Amino acid sequence: MRAATAWTALRRAREHAVGRCPICGRRSVFLQLYGDSYREGLACVRCRSVSRKRHVALVIRDALDPSAPTAADAVRRTSTLLHTTDGRDALSASLRGYPGFSSSDYEPGVEPGASLGPQATCQDLERLTFADGSFDVLVTEDVLEHVRRPDAAFREIHRVLRPGGRHVFTVPFFYDRPTLTRVDTSGAEDVHLMEPEYHGDPIRGRILAYRTFGVDLFADLERSGFATTAHVAQRRDAAYGIHDSVVFVSRRLP
Ligand SMILES: [Zn+2]
């Protein structure tokens, strides 16, 4: 650890957590070094996963096999076919080489379906190239707010999941308000309804947020053929270094 990092770690000592990581499976320390967001903080010193990533992993593990030490163990034990739109994170690293794992990224200018490397393809969530019923679990983390037509994305996710399959996802969310539409996408061109909001992205630098989802999301998902539950971080999740986080699970109805 560099001296500056060590100093920051010391200064914020009361915010760190100790526990077991549901991604790398090890006893670990979860360091809150930067910013105010625990959701995007509490980095595992072993696998570098942040709280949000571990929450997604824990929800997957508990849905498949709560007795498994890690999410990857649960996926392998149950021969789950899992696809994620983040092939760069620690969960993906823990599943790499497992034949039922695949990942995708949206890269403008690359033909959807084209290979981006081992077990990875370019995909547009509004028109996936996968066959019907391809996956048991599909993971999107903070992606759907950047999709121009989420209704099309939900239709496609429903199509590529097996009946009973799960869409496990996170989005910035308002619990007390309807969805805030930031950009009118009803026509061919984007019409900005407010000051554009951009989020950081590892590939494109920054990407436009079309909306912040609100409570009407549940009814929209029901119309799309999903039963959705929200998993709110609880006291016991603190043992996994998870804090201030919600993970949604939409189960595909038959
Ligand atoms: Zn870890």
Side-chain angles (χ1 to χ4, degrees), residues 223-245:
R223 272 193 294 277
S224 302
F226 291 105
T228 303
T229 48
H231 297 251
V232 181
Q234 296 171 341
R235 268 176 84 99
R236 82 169 182 116
D237 300 332
Y240 299 98
I242 296 165
H243 190 57
D244 191 21
S245 157

mmCIF file of all heavy atoms in Angstrom, residues 223-245:
data_model
loop_
_atom_site.group_PDB
_atom_site.id
_atom_site.type_symbol
_atom_site.label_atom_id
_atom_site.label_comp_id
_atom_site.label_asym_id
_atom_site.label_seq_id
_atom_site.Cartn_x
_atom_site.Cartn_y
_atom_site.Cartn_z
ATOM 1 N N ARG A 223 -45.508 -5.888 -16.540
ATOM 2 C CA ARG A 223 -46.069 -5.899 -17.900
ATOM 3 C C ARG A 223 -45.142 -6.626 -18.867
ATOM 4 O O ARG A 223 -45.582 -7.187 -19.862
ATOM 5 C CB ARG A 223 -46.294 -4.457 -18.387
ATOM 6 C CG ARG A 223 -47.647 -3.901 -17.997
ATOM 7 C CD ARG A 223 -47.951 -2.615 -18.763
ATOM 8 N NE ARG A 223 -47.043 -1.525 -18.412
ATOM 9 C CZ ARG A 223 -47.198 -0.735 -17.354
ATOM 10 N NH1 ARG A 223 -48.231 -0.914 -16.562
ATOM 11 N NH2 ARG A 223 -46.328 0.220 -17.092
ATOM 12 N N SER A 224 -43.826 -6.593 -18.592
ATOM 13 C CA SER A 224 -42.860 -7.257 -19.454
ATOM 14 C C SER A 224 -42.725 -8.756 -19.140
ATOM 15 O O SER A 224 -41.926 -9.450 -19.763
ATOM 16 C CB SER A 224 -41.483 -6.607 -19.308
ATOM 17 O OG SER A 224 -41.545 -5.231 -19.618
ATOM 18 N N GLY A 225 -43.493 -9.247 -18.148
ATOM 19 C CA GLY A 225 -43.476 -10.679 -17.857
ATOM 20 C C GLY A 225 -42.504 -11.088 -16.776
ATOM 21 O O GLY A 225 -42.023 -12.224 -16.760
ATOM 22 N N PHE A 226 -42.217 -10.163 -15.832
ATOM 23 C CA PHE A 226 -41.306 -10.456 -14.727
ATOM 24 C C PHE A 226 -42.009 -10.248 -13.386
ATOM 25 O O PHE A 226 -42.837 -9.352 -13.248
ATOM 26 C CB PHE A 226 -40.108 -9.507 -14.742
ATOM 27 C CG PHE A 226 -39.151 -9.698 -15.881
ATOM 28 C CD1 PHE A 226 -39.138 -8.798 -16.945
ATOM 29 C CD2 PHE A 226 -38.253 -10.752 -15.883
ATOM 30 C CE1 PHE A 226 -38.233 -8.949 -17.984
ATOM 31 C CE2 PHE A 226 -37.353 -10.912 -16.923
ATOM 32 C CZ PHE A 226 -37.336 -10.012 -17.978
ATOM 33 N N ALA A 227 -41.622 -11.052 -12.403
ATOM 34 C CA ALA A 227 -41.966 -10.783 -11.003
ATOM 35 C C ALA A 227 -40.694 -10.306 -10.333
ATOM 36 O O ALA A 227 -39.686 -11.012 -10.340
ATOM 37 C CB ALA A 227 -42.488 -12.037 -10.333
ATOM 38 N N THR A 228 -40.728 -9.091 -9.773
ATOM 39 C CA THR A 228 -39.493 -8.441 -9.313
ATOM 40 C C THR A 228 -39.480 -8.262 -7.805
ATOM 41 O O THR A 228 -40.478 -7.860 -7.213
ATOM 42 C CB THR A 228 -39.340 -7.070 -10.010
ATOM 43 O OG1 THR A 228 -39.358 -7.275 -11.411
ATOM 44 C CG2 THR A 228 -38.039 -6.386 -9.616
ATOM 45 N N THR A 229 -38.353 -8.575 -7.195
ATOM 46 C CA THR A 229 -38.162 -8.301 -5.775
ATOM 47 C C THR A 229 -36.921 -7.421 -5.610
ATOM 48 O O THR A 229 -35.986 -7.507 -6.408
ATOM 49 C CB THR A 229 -37.954 -9.595 -4.961
ATOM 50 O OG1 THR A 229 -36.990 -10.400 -5.619
ATOM 51 C CG2 THR A 229 -39.237 -10.380 -4.830
ATOM 52 N N ALA A 230 -36.953 -6.592 -4.576
ATOM 53 C CA ALA A 230 -35.812 -5.724 -4.269
ATOM 54 C C ALA A 230 -35.118 -6.269 -3.025
ATOM 55 O O ALA A 230 -35.761 -6.497 -2.006
ATOM 56 C CB ALA A 230 -36.290 -4.298 -4.022
ATOM 57 N N HIS A 231 -33.822 -6.520 -3.134
ATOM 58 C CA HIS A 231 -33.035 -7.002 -1.997
ATOM 59 C C HIS A 231 -32.274 -5.829 -1.402
ATOM 60 O O HIS A 231 -31.332 -5.322 -2.008
ATOM 61 C CB HIS A 231 -32.071 -8.103 -2.432
ATOM 62 C CG HIS A 231 -32.774 -9.329 -2.943
ATOM 63 N ND1 HIS A 231 -32.799 -10.514 -2.247
ATOM 64 C CD2 HIS A 231 -33.512 -9.527 -4.058
ATOM 65 C CE1 HIS A 231 -33.516 -11.400 -2.921
ATOM 66 N NE2 HIS A 231 -33.959 -10.828 -4.024
ATOM 67 N N VAL A 232 -32.722 -5.394 -0.242
ATOM 68 C CA VAL A 232 -32.102 -4.245 0.416
ATOM 69 C C VAL A 232 -31.032 -4.776 1.379
ATOM 70 O O VAL A 232 -31.259 -5.766 2.069
ATOM 71 C CB VAL A 232 -33.166 -3.438 1.188
ATOM 72 C CG1 VAL A 232 -32.547 -2.225 1.873
ATOM 73 C CG2 VAL A 232 -34.290 -3.021 0.255
ATOM 74 N N ALA A 233 -29.869 -4.133 1.389
ATOM 75 C CA ALA A 233 -28.789 -4.568 2.285
ATOM 76 C C ALA A 233 -29.284 -4.568 3.721
ATOM 77 O O ALA A 233 -29.897 -3.601 4.176
ATOM 78 C CB ALA A 233 -27.583 -3.653 2.127
ATOM 79 N N GLN A 234 -29.019 -5.673 4.422
ATOM 80 C CA GLN A 234 -29.489 -5.822 5.791
ATOM 81 C C GLN A 234 -28.309 -5.967 6.737
ATOM 82 O O GLN A 234 -27.166 -6.047 6.315
ATOM 83 C CB GLN A 234 -30.393 -7.058 5.894
ATOM 84 C CG GLN A 234 -31.652 -6.902 5.070
ATOM 85 C CD GLN A 234 -32.450 -8.191 4.992
ATOM 86 O OE1 GLN A 234 -31.925 -9.258 5.248
ATOM 87 N NE2 GLN A 234 -33.702 -8.055 4.630
ATOM 88 N N ARG A 235 -28.628 -6.048 8.017
ATOM 89 C CA ARG A 235 -27.579 -6.162 9.038
ATOM 90 C C ARG A 235 -26.616 -7.301 8.761
ATOM 91 O O ARG A 235 -25.412 -7.152 8.859
ATOM 92 C CB ARG A 235 -28.226 -6.399 10.403
ATOM 93 C CG ARG A 235 -28.496 -5.161 11.184
ATOM 94 C CD ARG A 235 -29.208 -5.544 12.457
ATOM 95 N NE ARG A 235 -28.251 -5.959 13.479
ATOM 96 C CZ ARG A 235 -27.837 -5.163 14.440
ATOM 97 N NH1 ARG A 235 -28.289 -3.937 14.497
ATOM 98 N NH2 ARG A 235 -26.983 -5.569 15.344
ATOM 99 N N ARG A 236 -27.149 -8.481 8.400
ATOM 100 C CA ARG A 236 -26.272 -9.642 8.224
ATOM 101 C C ARG A 236 -25.328 -9.421 7.040
ATOM 102 O O ARG A 236 -24.247 -9.989 6.997
ATOM 103 C CB ARG A 236 -27.097 -10.925 8.029
ATOM 104 C CG ARG A 236 -27.566 -11.103 6.640
ATOM 105 C CD ARG A 236 -28.153 -12.455 6.291
ATOM 106 N NE ARG A 236 -28.479 -12.375 4.876
ATOM 107 C CZ ARG A 236 -27.931 -13.107 3.950
ATOM 108 N NH1 ARG A 236 -27.058 -14.023 4.241
ATOM 109 N NH2 ARG A 236 -28.245 -12.939 2.688
ATOM 110 N N ASP A 237 -25.730 -8.569 6.086
ATOM 111 C CA ASP A 237 -24.884 -8.337 4.909
ATOM 112 C C ASP A 237 -23.606 -7.578 5.264
ATOM 113 O O ASP A 237 -22.644 -7.575 4.497
ATOM 114 C CB ASP A 237 -25.657 -7.579 3.830
ATOM 115 C CG ASP A 237 -26.880 -8.340 3.365
ATOM 116 O OD1 ASP A 237 -26.852 -9.590 3.441
ATOM 117 O OD2 ASP A 237 -27.849 -7.709 2.928
ATOM 118 N N ALA A 238 -23.616 -6.928 6.440
ATOM 119 C CA ALA A 238 -22.420 -6.216 6.888
ATOM 120 C C ALA A 238 -21.245 -7.183 7.017
ATOM 121 O O ALA A 238 -20.088 -6.799 6.837
ATOM 122 C CB ALA A 238 -22.693 -5.521 8.218
ATOM 123 N N ALA A 239 -21.529 -8.450 7.304
ATOM 124 C CA ALA A 239 -20.476 -9.464 7.429
ATOM 125 C C ALA A 239 -19.811 -9.743 6.080
ATOM 126 O O ALA A 239 -18.761 -10.378 6.026
ATOM 127 C CB ALA A 239 -21.053 -10.750 8.007
ATOM 128 N N TYR A 240 -20.451 -9.281 5.005
ATOM 129 C CA TYR A 240 -19.878 -9.424 3.666
ATOM 130 C C TYR A 240 -19.370 -8.069 3.147
ATOM 131 O O TYR A 240 -19.076 -7.933 1.969
ATOM 132 C CB TYR A 240 -20.920 -9.989 2.694
ATOM 133 C CG TYR A 240 -21.427 -11.360 3.079
ATOM 134 C CD1 TYR A 240 -22.632 -11.505 3.761
ATOM 135 C CD2 TYR A 240 -20.704 -12.506 2.766
ATOM 136 C CE1 TYR A 240 -23.104 -12.762 4.127
ATOM 137 C CE2 TYR A 240 -21.160 -13.758 3.134
ATOM 138 C CZ TYR A 240 -22.359 -13.880 3.806
ATOM 139 O OH TYR A 240 -22.814 -15.119 4.173
ATOM 140 N N GLY A 241 -19.302 -7.102 4.014
ATOM 141 C CA GLY A 241 -18.847 -5.777 3.607
ATOM 142 C C GLY A 241 -19.824 -5.088 2.672
ATOM 143 O O GLY A 241 -19.428 -4.321 1.801
ATOM 144 N N ILE A 242 -21.132 -5.364 2.855
ATOM 145 C CA ILE A 242 -22.155 -4.779 1.985
ATOM 146 C C ILE A 242 -22.945 -3.746 2.780
ATOM 147 O O ILE A 242 -23.406 -4.028 3.888
ATOM 148 C CB ILE A 242 -23.097 -5.874 1.439
ATOM 149 C CG1 ILE A 242 -22.321 -6.842 0.555
ATOM 150 C CG2 ILE A 242 -24.270 -5.245 0.683
ATOM 151 C CD1 ILE A 242 -23.056 -8.129 0.263
ATOM 152 N N HIS A 243 -23.095 -2.560 2.208
ATOM 153 C CA HIS A 243 -23.744 -1.472 2.932
ATOM 154 C C HIS A 243 -24.412 -0.542 1.930
ATOM 155 O O HIS A 243 -23.870 -0.316 0.842
ATOM 156 C CB HIS A 243 -22.686 -0.716 3.752
ATOM 157 C CG HIS A 243 -23.273 0.257 4.717
ATOM 158 N ND1 HIS A 243 -24.181 -0.110 5.684
ATOM 159 C CD2 HIS A 243 -23.075 1.592 4.867
ATOM 160 C CE1 HIS A 243 -24.520 0.951 6.385
ATOM 161 N NE2 HIS A 243 -23.877 2.003 5.909
ATOM 162 N N ASP A 244 -25.599 -0.029 2.297
ATOM 163 C CA ASP A 244 -26.241 1.021 1.520
ATOM 164 C C ASP A 244 -26.453 0.615 0.055
ATOM 165 O O ASP A 244 -25.980 1.284 -0.863
ATOM 166 C CB ASP A 244 -25.391 2.295 1.602
ATOM 167 C CG ASP A 244 -26.122 3.493 1.033
ATOM 168 O OD1 ASP A 244 -27.370 3.442 0.964
ATOM 169 O OD2 ASP A 244 -25.459 4.454 0.634
ATOM 170 N N SER A 245 -27.150 -0.487 -0.160
ATOM 171 C CA SER A 245 -27.228 -1.023 -1.514
ATOM 172 C C SER A 245 -28.537 -1.787 -1.716
ATOM 173 O O SER A 245 -29.078 -2.355 -0.770
ATOM 174 C CB SER A 245 -26.004 -1.932 -1.709
ATOM 175 O OG SER A 245 -26.199 -2.870 -2.699
#
